[in-house]
Amino acid sequence: MKKSCIDLRVVGVEHLNEKYVLLKLTDSTPLPAMMPGQFVEVRVDDSPQTFLRRPISINFFDEARNELWLLVAAIGEGTRRMARLKVGDMLNCVLPLGNGFTMPATPGERLLLVGGGVGVAPLLYFGKKIRDLGACPTFLLGARSARDLLELDYFAKYGEVCVTTEDGSLGEKGFVTNHSVLDSRRFDRIATCGPKPMMLAVAGYARQSGIECEASLENMMACGLGACLCCVEKTTEGNLCVCKEGPVFNIRRLLW
Ligand SMILES: Cc1cc2nc3c(=O)[nH]c(=O)nc-3n(C[C@H](O)[C@H](O)[C@H](O)COP(=O)(O)OP(=O)(O)OC[C@H]3O[C@@H](n4cnc5c(N)ncnc54)[C@H](O)[C@@H]3O)c2cc1C
Ligand code: FES
């Protein structure tokens, strides 16, 4: 897939709460095709500490409006600067990078998309593309508390939404792997993105239940292009660059 380096214009900034911001970006020419699960490398300007680009998932691609959405958790210098962007500002992005999630083979395939924290980001566009194919995904979204559950209204447009919070402030209390939907429903495939302990637990459940599972890894990255080797993951096929061979891996390839 051809990669582009584009100055995107900020056309929307939604502060979901004090930590999370949803950026909506566009360009005067059509944005390149993108697959759910791919990511962009964002250049953070005017910040000597943030020399390297920062990887951010494609949260949503609205083809009709030519809009790319990025869901950002402001946790450090680079992401805090992104959270301070205003409508009209420009953001330089290299995109689309990495592989993507496997699309359903048939509309009848029952997909469970499991996300935790800001790891829900790539699952929204994936859910939309699944829905476009005529299937209806189930989203299982977990967070520490209700305020950390993101974009629930958007997810509800494309499938059933199940929720867990660790403090019980919304949905079922506990972790995603404790949710009752896992006991009451049979799924053909699982896709997951979020904190590593959560993905390990989801992978364990998938293995135990004999369900195919893909996980999107968030290893530290620098170049995003397979050149610097700072993102390598040990796999059954040796060391692989998560930025180029991933970020999405079938769990059978991971040494988890
Ligand atoms: C493929 C991929 C997709 C991602 N998608 C998103 C997304 O959609 N939204 C989002 O908010 N974040 C996403 N991240 C994480 C994001 O890239 C990091 O949070 C960001 O690089 C931190 O930069 P910073 O300058 O704000 O923080 P820094 O000042 O560099 O670091 C602050 C803290 O964040 C930690 N950190 C740095 N990089 C990462 C990382 N890759 N993963 C976890 N912790 C990190 C550091 O260890 C440090 O503790 C993604 C990461 C990858 C690899
Ligand atoms: S980030 Fe440089 S090789 Fe993956």
Side-chain angles (χ1 to χ4, degrees):
M1 230 170 174
K2 190 171 167 272
K3 294 162 196 18
S4 307
C5 180
I6 320 176
D7 282 316
L8 297 173
R9 189 161 41 86
V10 179
V11 288
V13 180
E14 287 178 30
H15 289 276
L16 307 183
N17 60 42
E18 66 276 13
K19 185 171 168 198
Y20 300 102
V21 64
L22 175 62
L23 298 174
K24 298 183 176 180
L25 311 164
T26 194
D27 190 34
S28 52
T29 59
L31 292 170
M34 302 169 218
M35 293 190 306
Q38 291 190 298
F39 64 98
V40 310
E41 280 268 69
V42 176
R43 193 180 71 205
V44 182
D45 292 331
D46 305 320
S47 168
Q49 301 108 294
T50 318
F51 178 68
L52 299 165
R53 286 176 182 265
R54 297 298 193 249
I56 301 290
S57 302
I58 290 165
N59 175 227
F60 196 77
F61 177 33
D62 185 333
E63 288 155 60
R65 300 171 74 101
N66 199 37
E67 256 178 37
L68 165 68
W69 296 5
L70 304 180
L71 180 63
V72 179
I75 57 152
E77 171 67 11
T79 47
R80 274 201 290 270
R81 281 194 176 253
M82 289 179 218
R84 288 202 291 268
L85 286 166
K86 303 221 165 22
V87 169
D89 287 345
M90 304 302 281
L91 192 66
N92 184 274
C93 295
V94 177
L95 76 159
L97 297 173
N99 62 1
F101 292 109
T102 305
M103 292 304 294
T106 66
E109 210 173 309
R110 293 160 301 181
L111 267 94
L112 177 68
L113 312 190
V114 188
V118 77
V120 302
L123 303 181
L124 182 65
Y125 186 45
F126 189 28
K128 196 255 180 205
K129 295 304 264 184
I130 293 169
R131 196 60 189 250
D132 286 351
L133 289 176
C136 183
T138 300
F139 299 103
L140 176 50
L141 309 174
R144 288 212 178 103
S145 73
R147 60 176 292 287
D148 301 307
L149 282 164
L150 307 169
E151 299 185 314
L152 292 184
D153 293 347
Y154 290 125
F155 281 106
K157 286 186 188 173
Y158 305 117
E160 180 194 6
V161 181
C162 304
V163 161
T164 59
T165 48
E166 288 173 39
D167 63 4
S169 50
L170 196 69
E172 294 187 16
K173 185 172 180 178
F175 297 115
V176 284
T177 39
N178 305 128
H179 197 282
S180 56
V181 74
L182 300 181
D183 302 321
S184 60
R185 207 85 59 74
R186 175 77 198 167
F187 295 98
D188 301 312
R189 198 146 51 82
I190 298 175
T192 185
C193 185
K196 192 163 179 189
M198 185 207 81
M199 291 201 288
L200 285 171
V202 173
Y205 165 80
R207 278 210 178 87
Q208 218 174 28
S209 316
I211 304 174
E212 283 291 307
C213 179
E214 288 181 333
S216 181
L217 307 193
E218 291 203 346
N219 293 17
M220 290 284 201
M221 290 186 183
C223 72
L225 297 164
C228 70
L229 305 183
C230 92
C231 64
V232 288
E233 176 79 15
K234 286 191 174 133
T235 72
T236 54
E237 298 150 37
N239 288 341
L240 294 180
C241 289
V242 171
C243 67
K244 201 164 172 218
E245 310 288 338
V248 178
F249 291 87
N250 189 302
I251 58 163
R252 277 185 274 115
R253 299 173 75 195
L254 298 171
L255 304 178
W256 285 9

